[in-house]
Amino acid sequence: MKVKKEQVSRILSRIDGKYIEEAAVPTPGNGTGVSRPRRVRWKAAAVCAALAAVLGSAAFAYAAEAREYRSAVTFFEENGLSMQGLSRSEVKAVYRDITENRFSYGRTADVIRKTVPGWEIEQAAPSPDELSELWDRNFGAGTGARASDGAAYRVFHIDYDYVYDERKGFEVLEKSVLECSRDGATLWTAEFTDFFLQSWTHTGAGTAVWGFSESRTLGEPSYGWISCVDDEGNILWQLRLDHGFRHEIVAAVLDNGDGTWAVFSRGDGKHLCLSCIGADGTERRFRQTEVGNLGIWNAARLGDGYIVQLGNLTSRDTALLYRMDREGNVLDSYSYEADDCDYYLTDMIAYGGQIYLSAYAVPKQNDEGGRHEIADILDAVFSEGRLDISGEELTPLVRANYTAVLLLCDPDGGVPRTFYSVKGSLGGRLSVNEAGELEWDAESIVSTFFSPATSAFTIGGTCRVFRYTFDEAGVLTGRTDTGETVPYWR
């Protein structure tokens, strides 16, 4: 493994000062709405509001210059900008260039380039033998998933049983069945008849299971449900969430570490909701915040509060985070963007006092057909009439379209402190292993095929999973080829 230090301008983007915009700073949410998210840009750290330089008369020129220089130094320090190699006049010139939103001074881009240093992890493209081996592997998507459980892994699987309803004239759900196994042996099964089982997570207080009630008639409300199953498969309790919405969907459940669970749900398609559920299955607190047409994609604990990822593929909100306190108040919101690429967050975790975000970057596309990530690839294939393009030709095009990124961010402001990147890959899951190290999965694209007649996807393929480990300081300590594969569908 060869690792070399790079700057952001070389790895992820080419900084051009004229495209750097001033960051928008939101005010804390009040439970009724959320202000516009702060934009955390790769081409600049978060920039303060413009500060007007007060120039006095000639008699006070020296004092005015000293005040401006002090303001410039404060500005540099507050935004993590380096003054190394700059003269006093250059420091002031960069300060004015940014705060007056001009970005025309030549040294400004040099300063900004130095703010977020990163590391590129070099990974060789798959060899022909590897491609041949991996092509034959089963890359079909399944409902199983693993959760850390001591020295082994528990694997969960959902099955659904339907029965024909003669009155309705179609099949309806009879029950959802959750199976827990380890090393191929079934540990327990649990059946749920009151709701459609959607997902689960294993916690120290048992397995949290959640879903929603299916609407039986037009206009009937759909409620969110949550249940607790112990390690023998006994259903300890079930709770129907009723917060006055016509439709409420549970999106994530987190273990608070004190016997309670934080339940994140979406109400009527526009409210971000947080419920605190006690170990006895009773709701202790609830708070809702209107956020608009944004789905809840992920959530993680952050100190005494939470970080929640919201998103909407149609509006290209794919890297939007909200910071919440324990009571459910929205404290801040910010997103990650650049002028030449889009970011897609796939997982996140709080570790070693920082937020770690797993993501992948895709160049901005000339998209007219809805396949936002691969529009340019499809345009090239269709324009050349290459409907029979082979995997050997297609795979390098797809690999060149993706860069896996691991962002190490300040938990308060969300500003990236550093990052790691792997070309030709997608960012995967984050977890902490038994040794207390952070693990990051990078999914290297190793094979693809073109399927224009398929409605669910146009390009399919296989990714090989490489697992990287980091210590609490964020230093890369190792890499493992897991031998695992995951599907790629776009």
Side-chain angles (χ1 to χ4, degrees):
M1 176 180 63
K2 181 181 179 182
V3 181
K4 62 180 182 180
K5 189 172 184 180
E6 298 286 355
Q7 297 297 331
V8 177
S9 57
R10 179 175 176 184
I11 298 174
L12 296 181
S13 59
R14 296 180 298 277
I15 294 186
D16 186 340
K18 66 181 180 180
Y19 294 117
I20 301 173
E21 298 177 359
E22 182 174 289
V25 182
T27 56
N30 58 9
T32 60
V34 178
S35 56
R36 184 178 179 180
R38 176 186 296 120
R39 298 291 175 178
V40 180
R41 303 185 63 83
W42 275 111
K43 299 191 176 183
V47 180
C48 297
L51 301 176
V54 180
L55 300 178
S57 64
F60 298 97
Y62 180 83
E65 188 278 340
R67 286 195 299 271
E68 184 186 25
Y69 181 71
R70 286 196 299 270
S71 297
V73 170
T74 300
F75 176 84
F76 270 65
E77 291 174 347
E78 288 179 347
N79 290 281
L81 303 177
S82 173
M83 292 186 291
Q84 183 177 4
L86 298 180
S87 66
R88 186 182 182 101
S89 62
E90 288 173 335
V91 169
K92 293 185 298 178
V94 171
Y95 164 67
R96 288 193 299 268
D97 197 43
I98 295 175
T99 58
E100 294 175 9
N101 205 28
R102 294 197 307 263
F103 299 102
S104 59
Y105 181 52
R107 298 304 300 273
T108 300
D110 294 333
V111 170
I112 294 174
R113 283 192 186 99
K114 298 176 182 178
T115 61
V116 188
W119 298 78
E120 179 181 4
I121 302 173
E122 292 192 348
Q123 190 179 97
S127 67
D129 289 341
E130 289 175 317
L131 292 176
S132 177
E133 171 193 351
L134 292 167
W135 180 259
D136 295 329
R137 292 191 183 182
N138 177 17
F139 49 78
T143 55
R146 69 181 190 180
S148 179
D149 181 33
Y153 284 106
R154 296 183 177 210
V155 177
F156 293 85
H157 184 85
I158 301 177
D159 278 323
Y160 303 100
D161 290 344
Y162 288 85
V163 295
Y164 184 78
D165 188 316
E166 293 185 358
R167 183 176 62 86
K168 295 180 180 295
F170 54 84
E171 290 187 337
V172 297
L173 179 69
E174 180 183 35
K175 62 183 177 181
S176 302
V177 181
L178 180 64
E179 178 189 46
C180 176
S181 61
R182 183 191 294 129
D183 298 328
T186 299
L187 298 179
W188 52 261
T189 59
E191 298 183 356
F192 303 88
T193 58
D194 292 323
F195 61 93
F196 180 91
L197 199 161
Q198 186 179 6
S199 194
W200 65 90
T201 185
H202 186 64
T203 76
T207 298
V209 179
W210 63 91
F212 56 91
S213 59
E214 292 188 304
S215 298
R216 302 286 181 173
T217 60
L218 185 64
E220 180 182 359
S222 176
Y223 298 98
W225 282 79
I226 184 168
S227 177
C228 180
V229 183
D230 68 17
D231 288 341
E232 282 71 48
N234 301 305
I235 299 177
L236 301 183
W237 51 262
Q238 294 186 163
L239 176 65
R240 190 186 78 172
L241 302 179
D242 187 355
H243 299 124
F245 299 115
R246 297 294 297 172
H247 301 284
E248 184 172 0
I249 300 294
V250 177
V253 177
L254 300 178
D255 187 348
N256 284 324
D258 59 359
T260 65
W261 288 343
V263 179
F264 298 86
S265 59
R266 185 186 187 200
D268 284 343
K270 62 180 181 180
H271 291 91
L272 169 61
C273 305
L274 174 61
S275 304
C276 178
I277 309 298
D280 58 354
T282 59
E283 185 175 63
R284 299 184 178 181
R285 292 189 304 274
F286 171 77
R287 188 168 181 82
Q288 67 183 54
T289 303
E290 185 172 341
V291 296
N293 187 23
L294 296 170
I296 305 171
W297 290 359
N298 209 337
R301 284 179 59 190
L302 178 62
D304 291 332
Y306 313 98
I307 194 83
V308 185
Q309 181 192 0
L310 305 181
N312 184 321
L313 288 176
T314 302
S315 61
R316 307 291 186 89
D317 287 307
T318 57
L320 176 60
L321 298 180
Y322 279 48
R323 189 161 60 92
M324 304 176 68
D325 65 15
R326 193 70 171 257
E327 304 299 319
N329 300 298
V330 175
L331 305 177
D332 204 353
S333 59
Y334 35 84
S335 66
Y336 298 83
E337 61 178 21
D339 295 308
D340 59 352
C341 61
D342 293 320
Y343 293 93
Y344 294 79
L345 300 186
T346 57
D347 203 0
M348 59 187 179
I349 194 171
Y351 176 75
Q354 298 185 95
I355 303 172
Y356 286 73
L357 303 177
S358 177
Y360 58 89
V362 176
K364 288 190 179 295
Q365 312 280 310
N366 298 312
D367 182 27
E368 298 295 338
R371 305 232 186 248
H372 305 311
E373 294 182 22
I374 57 172
D376 288 354
I377 297 175
L378 297 181
D379 285 347
V381 172
F382 286 121
S383 64
E384 297 175 5
R386 299 294 311 280
L387 301 185
D388 60 346
I389 187 171
S390 67
E392 289 76 12
E393 296 174 281
L394 182 60
T395 299
L397 298 177
V398 177
R399 284 181 58 84
N401 195 56
Y402 290 95
T403 300
V405 184
L406 178 65
L407 305 176
L408 285 66
C409 302
D410 174 18
D412 293 325
V415 177
R417 293 174 174 172
T418 188
F419 66 92
Y420 292 87
S421 67
V422 184
K423 292 179 179 178
S425 303
L426 292 82
R429 67 189 290 268
L430 290 164
S431 61
V432 177
N433 62 24
E434 292 182 344
E437 298 173 311
L438 180 72
E439 294 183 339
W440 176 48
D441 288 357
E443 301 169 356
S444 177
I445 301 168
V446 293
S447 66
T448 60
F449 61 92
F450 191 56
S451 183
T454 307
S455 59
F457 65 94
T458 307
I459 299 178
T462 305
C463 299
R464 189 169 191 165
V465 179
F466 291 86
R467 186 159 297 143
Y468 299 91
T469 55
F470 302 84
D471 63 20
E472 290 193 355
V475 176
L476 178 65
T477 58
R479 186 195 78 162
T480 303
D481 180 352
T482 66
E484 301 171 9
T485 59
V486 294
Y488 169 88
W489 312 108
R490 295 295 188 278

